[in-house]
Amino acid sequence: MRRFTALLLLAACCTSVLAEPPPEPKVERTVAEDDQVRIEELKVRGETKKVTVKNKLTKAPDYEIVVNDAGRESAGGTGTGLPKSGSGTRVWRVLNF
């Protein structure tokens, strides 16, 4: 009888843990703007994922800054073929689908 009670108690604890969905990640979108450029930044869980720079004065194309993932950096580089830098690398989109 004790085994059965312990088994029921264990099953009740496990189902309550499994029933709770994981919390949604905190997503922040910030925009910094002046007379020349507009900078849009996307952060997920406090980590910058995407930075887009839009030029207002000239017809220069918008570009994105690929932010290096701090968790994946190694002593030899980023592993993505991009140079190791604290600020990221500029990338221009050529084709949009």
Side-chain angles (χ1 to χ4, degrees):
M1 186 66 176
R2 285 186 178 182
R3 279 189 173 173
F4 182 70
T5 306
L7 185 60
L8 281 176
L9 181 61
L10 181 63
C13 291
C14 290
T15 55
S16 66
V17 170
L18 295 175
E20 296 176 11
E24 291 293 319
K26 182 180 176 185
V27 177
E28 297 176 66
R29 296 177 194 272
T30 57
V31 177
E33 193 170 352
D34 66 5
D35 296 339
Q36 297 177 359
V37 295
R38 175 183 172 101
I39 302 171
E40 298 173 358
E41 181 180 14
L42 173 68
K43 286 186 177 186
V44 179
R45 292 184 181 105
E47 183 179 331
T48 302
K49 293 293 184 180
K50 182 178 178 181
V51 177
T52 306
V53 180
K54 298 179 180 182
N55 196 340
K56 291 181 176 181
L57 296 179
T58 65
K59 295 194 186 260
D62 303 344
Y63 63 92
E64 183 177 327
I65 298 174
V66 177
V67 181
N68 296 336
D69 186 5
R72 293 184 177 215
E73 289 228 5
S74 65
T78 61
T80 60
L82 300 173
K84 188 173 178 179
S85 169
S87 59
T89 305
R90 290 174 293 213
V91 178
W92 282 267
R93 301 234 181 240
V94 177
L95 299 174
N96 287 329
F97 294 93

